[in-house]
Amino acid sequence: MTKIIIATMVLMLAIISGNAQENKWYDNMKLSGYGMVQYQASDKKGDEQNSINLRLLRLILDGKIGQDVDWRVQAQGTSNAGPAAATFNLVDLYAEWHKFDFLKIKAGQFKRAFTFENPTHPITQGWYSYAMSVNKLAGFGDRTGEKSSGGRDIGVQLQGDLFRVAGHPLFHYQVGVYNGEGINAKDKDNRKDIIGGAWLMPVKGLRIGGFGWTGSRGGYTIDGKTNQSVSKNRYAISAEWDKNDWTFRTEYIHSQGFGTASAGDGSNTIERRKGDQADGFYVFGIVPIIKNKFHLKARYDVYRDEYVSGKKIWNDVGLNGDVRTVRYEGGVDYLFTKNLELNLMYSRIDDHTRDYNTMYINKYKYNMVDLELDIRF
């Protein structure tokens, strides 16, 4: 696997070097970015919120080397962890050779090739957060304890479009080899994640596809043994309609592999009592009231964090309890200009979480309101 990565990166360097003869590296550079200011309030018992927050700031530098190589550097600042724990990270650093539609090669740090929603821009994604299953099973605040990586990793990816008809390709594929540790991190167990996906586009605007992921993450303590690896075997089934300002999408994601007590907590201690499987799905619709200006939206979002005795848990079963979380969400957005957007969202949340010290199932039904001002520049 290492030889494949080295060979691919050597090929990328050769392509870039050849193109660099034609143009200077600083030609065709573009600086852009966006910021998201957030107000959020909830009445969750014991964890009430009423706060204005800087959700994130992104600074993006794009450029070209010759005609066939694009590159991007993207950095992010966020205070989601609280003012005392604000972070500023490099999130993207990659180059992509795109001479042919049927074969493009990308190397560096970038989005994993998993799910339709993962690569979607945080503003055009349309919600105050990605779906719970995407957050926990695609490398945001991951079930394995991997800290939020925005769905990204370090690696090499091949992708392409085939069989173009009536102005759109009928088939797309993508496959990548990654460290498996998230952003800005070396591989801890010298084993690589392999992630791939493919979809059909029978008509323009419609995508139907699937994704697979096999790999591991290292550095865990399991049953008193240190430096252990945890498997990540996942798949997703996806469908989307996105045309004429109407968007509908649904995805089901399943994961096999033990996790830590809390997703994205940075912990390296496995919580076996959770079981080694999790899954979730979502479905949403965003429809225009005024095209490209004013939209209504609704989303149904479900995530199940445990399997007990090999069975998915949906209802109360004594001590094991119900470990699903369900969100019923609706909202509106208004675009003052293409660079200034206001989003208002309401969520009714049925959140069943477990205290792993007592095995007590905490059951919360509460409301949340989220108001965001999104600025592009």
Side-chain angles (χ1 to χ4, degrees), residues 112 136-137 142-146 179-181 189 191-194 213-220 222 227-235 254-260 270 272 275-278:
R112 291 167 163 122
K136 299 178 188 297
L137 303 179
D142 204 88
R143 186 176 192 263
T144 61
E146 173 191 303
N179 272 343
E181 304 293 338
D189 62 2
R191 296 158 58 184
K192 299 294 178 281
D193 285 12
I194 301 175
W213 178 342
T214 183
S216 65
R217 187 167 183 264
Y220 291 93
I222 305 176
N227 296 320
Q228 302 297 301
S229 295
V230 170
S231 296
K232 290 183 289 185
N233 297 308
R234 299 171 176 176
Y235 68 85
H254 179 275
S255 175
Q256 182 274 322
F258 287 101
T260 54
I270 290 300
R272 284 192 180 276
D276 74 337
Q277 298 186 59

Side-chain angles (χ1 to χ4, degrees), residues 110-217:
F110 49 88
K111 287 279 190 175
R112 291 167 163 122
F114 193 69
T115 77
F116 284 165
E117 181 152 307
N118 179 19
T120 307
H121 192 288
I123 295 178
T124 56
Q125 186 267 344
W127 304 92
Y128 66 88
S129 175
Y130 290 82
M132 291 183 288
S133 54
V134 175
N135 270 316
K136 299 178 188 297
L137 303 179
F140 286 77
D142 204 88
R143 186 176 192 263
T144 61
E146 173 191 303
K147 290 186 177 180
S148 179
S149 294
R152 294 169 170 84
D153 205 344
I154 304 171
V156 177
Q157 176 180 296
L158 307 180
Q159 65 178 335
D161 295 320
L162 302 173
F163 315 122
R164 187 171 291 274
V165 175
H168 76 279
L170 294 178
F171 181 80
H172 175 88
Y173 74 91
Q174 52 191 47
V175 60
V177 181
Y178 310 85
N179 272 343
E181 304 293 338
I183 62 173
N184 308 324
K186 293 182 178 180
D187 199 335
K188 293 181 181 179
D189 62 2
N190 296 321
R191 296 158 58 184
K192 299 294 178 281
D193 285 12
I194 301 175
I195 306 175
W199 56 82
L200 295 172
M201 294 167 280
V203 296
K204 191 173 183 179
L206 176 64
R207 295 192 293 171
I208 302 171
F211 301 83
W213 178 342
T214 183
S216 65
R217 187 167 183 264

